[in-house]
């Protein structure tokens, strides 16, 4: 065998290892969209609270329920767009969307996220809502880091940034809203754009 | 001892090398998953799996999922060690030339 053959062997090994163990079709564009939805949603929430007559949020009442609906819509739209764009990308690349690497990625992403979500709902019921923003950022960051082992791209670093923002948010709960905007809005757009540029280059 | 000694003849084939690459990073994989990733026919894949099994590089486990028979493959300690040796030898060869 010649050097060329050995090189080909090595690149084939690498390719198979990646394809068999990691989900590779995550679309950068879906990150940009998630960030935009978060920014729009945050603007809506800001407007709702400012027009409620108070400058802060109380737990029961119409405004609070509207903000919960707002959050739910952001999440739903982000996930929907991600599924749509990723399916499209997977089809273009000729890989299967739903195989064991996808399942592993989703499962490991959802474990910290669902645990965090339930925890937040529990403490909201106990009227401890000062830390909600911080907890959302921290648990989301942990979910990203946990999922990063099963996909390509640098979502691990995005996860670290989210956790740092969450910890800052825990110290200064008064800035919770702005840190949330930074973490879920701006960071997604920055990260999505970086991914998108990388995809385009290939 | 030359580095050529560590080049494993058994891995000199694209499909066998592929099977080992997949099993090196996954706890296990079933027949269909291997087939899909390697893009080969049933008979072809089966014969290469047999060869690796004969050398005890991989472990074969037959089970039933519901009513369907399912064969799952995993790399043995020996298989992983040999694969690692082979890759190191490949790397050395390339760097040397």
């Amino acid at each position: 065998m010649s050097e060329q053959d050995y090189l080909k062997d090595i690149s084939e090994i690498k390719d198979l290892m990646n394809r068999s163990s990691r989900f590779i079709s995550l679309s950068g564009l879906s990150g940009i969209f998630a960030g935009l939805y978060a920014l729009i949603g945050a603007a809506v929430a800001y407007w709702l609270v400012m027009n409620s007559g108070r400058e802060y949020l109380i737990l029961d009442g119409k405004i609070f329920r509207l903000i919960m609906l707002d959050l739910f819509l952001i999440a739903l739209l982000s996930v929907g767009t991600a599924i749509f764009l990723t399916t499209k990308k997977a089809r273009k690349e000729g890989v299967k969307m739903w195989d064991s690497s996808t399942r592993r990625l989703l499962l490991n992403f959802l474990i910290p996220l669902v645990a965090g979500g339930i925890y937040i709902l529990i403490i909201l019921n106990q009227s401890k809502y000062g830390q909600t923003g911080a907890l959302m950022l921290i648990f989301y960051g942990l979910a990203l880091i946990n999922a990063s082992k099963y996909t390509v791209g640098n979502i691990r670093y995005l996860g670290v940034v989210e956790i740092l923002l969450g910890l800052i948010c825990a110290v200064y709960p008064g800035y919770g809203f702005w840190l949330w905007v930074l973490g879920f809005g701006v960071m997604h757009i920055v990260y999505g754009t970086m991914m998108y540029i990388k995809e385009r280059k290939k | 001892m030359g580095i050529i000694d560590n080049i494993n003849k058994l891995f000199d084939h694209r499909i066998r090398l592929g099977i080992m690459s997949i099993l090196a990073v996954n706890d296990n994989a079933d027949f269909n998953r291997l087939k899909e990733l390697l893009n080969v026919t049933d008979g072809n894949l089966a014969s290469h799996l047999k060869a690796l099994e004969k050398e005890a590089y991989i472990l074969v486990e037959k089970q039933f999922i519901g009513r369907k028979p399912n064969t799952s493959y995993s790399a043995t300690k020996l298989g992983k060690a040999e694969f690692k040796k082979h890759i190191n030898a490949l790397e050395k060869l390339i760097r040397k030339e």
Side-chain angles (χ1 to χ4, degrees), chain A residues 11-49:
Chain A
S11 76
E12 203 154 316
I13 291 169
K14 239 173 107 184
D15 174 58
L16 272 170
M17 282 180 165
N18 269 331
R19 258 196 308 142
S20 67
S21 65
R22 285 157 185 263
F23 183 72
I24 52 174
S25 299
L26 215 55
S27 155
L29 209 54
S30 57
I32 301 177
F33 273 104
L36 287 176
Y37 297 144
L39 287 184
I40 296 167
V44 170
Y46 192 78
W47 184 83
L48 280 171
V49 173

Side-chain angles (χ1 to χ4, degrees), chain A residues 12-196:
Chain A
E12 203 154 316
I13 291 169
K14 239 173 107 184
D15 174 58
L16 272 170
M17 282 180 165
N18 269 331
R19 258 196 308 142
S20 67
S21 65
R22 285 157 185 263
F23 183 72
I24 52 174
S25 299
L26 215 55
S27 155
L29 209 54
S30 57
I32 301 177
F33 273 104
L36 287 176
Y37 297 144
L39 287 184
I40 296 167
V44 170
Y46 192 78
W47 184 83
L48 280 171
V49 173
M50 284 305 146
N51 282 288
S52 67
R54 299 187 194 81
E55 290 213 343
Y56 52 88
L57 189 59
I58 50 163
L59 195 53
D60 36 85
K62 209 176 95 205
I63 303 290
F64 179 74
R65 277 200 295 277
L66 279 175
I67 286 179
M68 288 302 264
L69 179 71
D70 184 31
L71 276 174
F72 177 73
L73 282 178
I74 297 171
L76 192 74
L77 277 172
S78 301
V79 172
T81 309
I83 292 174
F84 175 73
L85 288 174
T86 303
T87 314
K88 227 173 90 182
K89 193 172 165 223
R91 203 172 295 151
K92 216 170 78 189
E93 287 167 356
V95 292
K96 252 186 156 179
M97 168 81 179
W98 187 249
D99 62 10
S100 59
S101 64
T102 327
R103 273 196 294 275
R104 224 167 2 190
L105 173 70
L106 270 183
L107 184 71
N108 285 289
F109 179 64
L110 284 176
I111 291 170
L113 200 68
V114 170
I118 293 171
Y119 178 66
I120 290 170
L121 287 177
I122 291 170
I123 63 157
L124 276 178
N125 263 324
Q126 298 170 348
S127 319
K128 297 175 194 146
Y129 40 84
Q131 294 288 331
T132 314
L135 288 168
M136 282 173 81
L137 286 163
I138 291 171
F139 279 108
Y140 181 61
L142 290 172
L144 287 176
I145 289 179
N146 207 36
S148 69
K149 287 165 255 171
Y150 305 98
T151 184
V152 288
N154 301 321
I155 64 168
R156 166 173 287 262
Y157 304 114
L158 181 62
V160 172
V161 171
E162 301 284 359
I163 290 174
L164 284 177
L165 287 174
L167 291 175
I168 296 170
C169 187
V171 181
Y172 305 106
Y175 294 101
F177 175 78
W178 297 108
L179 286 161
W180 194 96
V181 167
L182 193 62
F184 284 98
V186 179
M187 280 306 148
H188 275 144
I189 294 176
V190 170
Y191 177 75
T193 310
M194 277 161 56
M195 283 270 290
Y196 188 67

Side-chain angles (χ1 to χ4, degrees), chain A residues 1 6 12 20 99-100 104, chain B residues 12 14 18 26 33 37 90:
Chain A
M1 280 217 291
Y6 292 133
E12 203 154 316
S20 67
D99 62 10
S100 59
R104 224 167 2 190
Chain B
D12 241 3
R14 203 201 118 237
N26 290 278
R33 174 97 178 122
L37 283 164
L90 281 184

